[in-house]
Amino acid sequence: MEVLYRSTRGHGEQVTASQAILQGLSEDGGLFVPVEIPKLDTDMKVLSEMTYQELAYTVMSKFFTDFTEEELKHCINSAYDSKFDVPEIAPLVHADGAYYLELFHGATIAFKDMALSILPHLLTTAAKKNQVKNEIVILTATSGDTGKAAMAGFADVPGTKIIVFYPKNGVSPIQEKQMVTQKGNNTYVVGITGNFDDAQTAVKNMFNDKELEAELDAAGYQFSSANSINIGRLVPQIVYYVYAYATLVRQGAIKDGDKINVDVPTGNFGNILAAFYAKQMGLPIAKLICASNENKVLFDFFRTGVYDRKRDFILTTSPSMDILISSNLERLIYRLCGHDADQCSQLMKALTAEGSYEITSEMKEQLSDFYGNYATEAETAETISKVFEHAHYLIDTHTAVAATVYRKYTEETKDKTPTVIASTASPYKFTRSVMNAVDSKYDAMGDFELVDELSRITGVKVPQAIEDIRTAPVLHDTVVDACDMPAAVKNILGVK
């Protein structure tokens, strides 16, 4: 079955997977969604015996139907290789009553590696398939993890440049050091004085700026995206939920057909949307647990049906979730609208113009797959301490938000369904926050002293990604206001 894609705000026009990946964002400002979600029709016993790479091909080939087997397998094998420090790519660890899906064994020790390792290969393959002559400029905003993972993937990839914008005072010291020390003749990092939403909005506006598009085209460039708005980011994330289920079956923790819950620390809504798509494919997922930090716009949405970004932006110890405009929620809204692009477009326009929208009661009734809750900063720290104390397993701040919400969910529902928690980052990425949660005495230590102490108390080797930045020189030090981001892009590209 050929799977085509259309925009959440379009008029039914359809494009191939490779065209959707190339464009990133539709010209009408909408996000590409598959016209139909393909079914997972491979026997689970067969899936449970596959390697990660084999299973990735089985899932992705159902979505990326205009890629040949050779092309897609080349992309997969180039992505999921020795840059991951464990052969299983995404290990599943049972600790403190839940199954932690460790998505941080790639080059930048965060879950973004799972999709951003393959996106450059998908994108360059798509460019060849569509006879693209321009150099592709990857333009992305990051709340901390996407930027580094995207740059690591695209560094020195021929025919591409990558420009990353991040909130200067809104990421962890390790996250910032990872980005500003990034090597590669085609990588550019720019701090902004605003927050992530400011950066993300400016990037979307640049994608929709026809005058800028014409200027870039004349200079031999065209934009594409590495954010989770790109369907080439979203589909690879479906894979690890299928892999987690298959692993539980192989380990005998569940039987084929048994239901599981999936609990995801959520900011831009891409990671949990991938789990929702896995469920639509037929994976036996019962509840999708959406965990927020104190920027609890999604919790309020699931509770009330009102999405309202008009609130204070809170800087937390889980900065990758410090987001008030969850872009990928638009893909779910489109589905709740019954694929009515006009209705979806009106809601998104209301969010831009008025700062909020409200879905109908009929749409809200369709949210029964989801459970939303949030964790305070104090609860997040307490969970890190308790899980370490109970299981000698140290989790990062984002994973701790999910673990906190899982505890609230089980207390509220008494549901005993086996639950997979998406562990989205290594504790080494947020060392100070994690170590302070274990014991406040650690606050007196320097950042890399804390790294060594974390290794000592857990027995977990310091990841190469951290070793690499201990003494790495700063290569990127530009900082601009959000309103000056287009000028910064033109300056980088030498476009007058």
Side-chain angles (χ1 to χ4, degrees):
M1 181 185 82
E2 184 181 22
V3 173
L4 296 171
Y5 294 79
R6 63 187 170 207
S7 167
T8 51
R9 304 185 199 181
H11 296 100
E13 306 91 340
Q14 298 182 358
V15 298
T16 65
S18 63
Q19 289 168 335
I21 290 167
L22 263 179
Q23 288 184 49
L25 191 69
S26 174
E27 287 184 0
D28 52 39
L31 309 188
F32 287 111
V33 291
V35 171
E36 188 177 344
I37 303 285
K39 289 302 174 190
L40 189 65
D41 52 10
T42 307
D43 184 83
M44 186 53 67
K45 184 174 188 312
V46 175
L47 290 173
S48 71
E49 293 169 354
M50 288 182 177
T51 65
Y52 192 89
Q53 294 84 347
E54 290 166 342
L55 193 145
Y57 177 76
T58 301
V59 173
M60 288 191 220
S61 62
K62 295 184 183 307
F63 286 91
F64 299 152
T65 52
D66 66 326
F67 285 71
T68 67
E69 180 177 352
E70 183 184 2
E71 287 169 339
L72 190 52
K73 284 185 173 176
H74 172 74
C75 292
I76 289 166
N77 293 331
S78 299
Y80 304 115
D81 59 7
S82 60
K83 71 174 73 70
F84 287 84
D85 62 19
V86 287
E88 60 267 52
I89 307 295
L92 201 60
V93 176
H94 190 243
D96 204 35
Y99 294 91
Y100 288 85
L101 180 61
E102 293 188 345
L103 300 171
F104 51 75
H105 288 276
T108 73
I109 58 176
F111 83 102
K112 305 292 174 73
D113 287 324
M114 301 299 295
L116 282 166
S117 293
I118 192 168
L119 185 60
H121 304 287
L122 293 172
L123 198 59
T124 50
T125 303
K128 284 177 194 159
K129 292 177 83 66
N130 290 276
Q131 290 82 49
V132 169
K133 298 290 188 281
N134 284 341
E135 188 161 9
I136 295 168
V137 178
I138 303 300
L139 190 65
T140 198
T142 183
S143 54
D145 288 336
T146 287
K148 173 61 182 180
M151 285 188 291
F154 280 94
D156 294 321
V157 171
T160 69
K161 283 184 167 52
I162 177 164
I163 305 172
V164 169
F165 292 96
Y166 75 97
K168 175 65 181 166
N169 298 310
V171 299
S172 79
I174 296 289
Q175 283 178 310
E176 182 170 45
K177 189 81 187 285
Q178 281 188 300
M179 284 190 282
V180 299
T181 59
Q182 176 64 50
K183 296 175 184 175
N185 293 327
N186 63 338
T187 62
Y188 305 89
V189 185
V190 181
I192 70 155
T193 53
N195 59 40
F196 169 73
D197 286 338
D198 298 325
Q200 180 169 251
T201 299
V203 164
K204 282 186 173 180
N205 289 342
M206 281 189 269
F207 269 97
N208 293 322
D209 186 333
K210 297 299 177 190
E211 190 177 321
L212 180 59
E213 181 184 348
E215 289 180 71
L216 290 178
D217 186 54
Y221 297 114
Q222 69 186 65
F223 283 145
S224 190
S225 170
N227 278 76
S228 55
I229 56 175
N230 193 317
I231 198 71
R233 266 279 305 274
L234 192 61
V235 168
Q237 293 179 283
I238 299 170
V239 174
Y240 47 71
Y241 294 112
V242 180
Y243 185 73
Y245 190 92
T247 300
L248 288 172
V249 170
R250 186 179 70 248
Q251 293 175 347
I254 61 172
K255 295 188 187 73
D256 180 14
D258 288 352
K259 295 210 165 182
I260 64 167
N261 295 329
V262 172
D263 178 4
V264 187
T266 310
N268 217 18
F269 207 74
N271 204 5
I272 195 163
L273 184 70
F276 175 76
Y277 278 7
K279 178 169 181 169
Q280 300 309 305
M281 292 185 79
L283 197 70
I285 295 174
K287 216 65 166 174
L288 295 152
I289 301 170
C290 180
S292 300
N293 63 16
E294 288 182 356
N295 291 292
K296 55 187 181 67
V297 64
L298 286 166
F299 164 67
D300 292 337
F301 169 72
F302 284 117
R303 193 168 49 89
T304 67
V306 176
Y307 192 98
D308 188 354
R309 66 174 174 82
K310 304 189 303 293
R311 61 185 72 204
D312 290 337
F313 187 97
I314 301 167
L315 293 174
T316 72
T317 54
S318 47
S320 298
M321 299 163 66
D322 291 346
I323 294 172
L324 295 181
I325 304 173
S326 302
S327 289
N328 271 290
L329 185 62
E330 180 172 343
R331 286 183 162 115
L332 181 64
I333 294 296
Y334 176 72
R335 190 177 182 90
L336 300 180
C337 289
H339 305 129
D340 184 336
D342 289 335
Q343 186 181 359
C344 183
S345 185
Q346 286 169 8
L347 292 171
M348 295 308 118
K349 282 175 183 170
L351 182 63
T352 301
E354 299 153 30
S356 68
Y357 62 78
E358 182 171 6
I359 61 173
T360 65
S361 56
E362 291 81 10
M363 291 166 70
K364 195 179 174 193
E365 284 171 9
Q366 297 177 60
L367 290 173
S368 58
D369 285 342
F370 291 89
Y371 167 89
N373 214 320
Y374 74 101
T376 66
E377 287 289 87
E379 288 170 333
T380 301
E382 183 184 9
T383 294
I384 291 170
S385 176
K386 280 188 172 174
V387 173
F388 185 63
E389 181 186 335
H390 295 165
H392 198 69
Y393 185 64
L394 197 57
I395 56 177
D396 91 293
T397 45
H398 303 73
T399 308
V401 168
T404 302
V405 168
Y406 176 55
R407 175 181 54 77
K408 291 182 178 183
Y409 171 77
T410 54
E411 287 173 357
E412 190 179 311
T413 65
K414 310 301 184 227
D415 183 6
K416 302 293 187 190
T417 303
T419 297
V420 171
I421 294 177
S423 185
T424 53
S426 164
Y428 280 103
K429 196 139 192 168
F430 303 94
T431 319
R432 184 164 299 280
S433 299
V434 168
M435 295 297 280
N436 278 349
V438 172
D439 194 321
S440 60
K441 71 181 181 183
Y442 291 123
D443 199 35
M445 289 186 175
D447 286 325
F448 285 99
E449 283 182 285
L450 284 171
V451 164
D452 294 328
E453 182 66 8
L454 193 158
S455 180
R456 188 189 69 77
I457 68 170
T458 61
V460 176
K461 184 183 174 188
V462 178
Q464 193 58 43
I466 299 295
E467 295 292 4
D468 288 345
I469 62 171
R470 277 188 195 265
T471 57
V474 171
L475 301 175
H476 309 272
D477 57 7
T478 303
V479 180
V480 301
D481 291 331
C483 60
D484 294 324
M485 285 168 56
V489 168
K490 289 169 76 170
N491 184 53
I492 286 167
L493 299 178
V495 175
K496 303 302 179 192

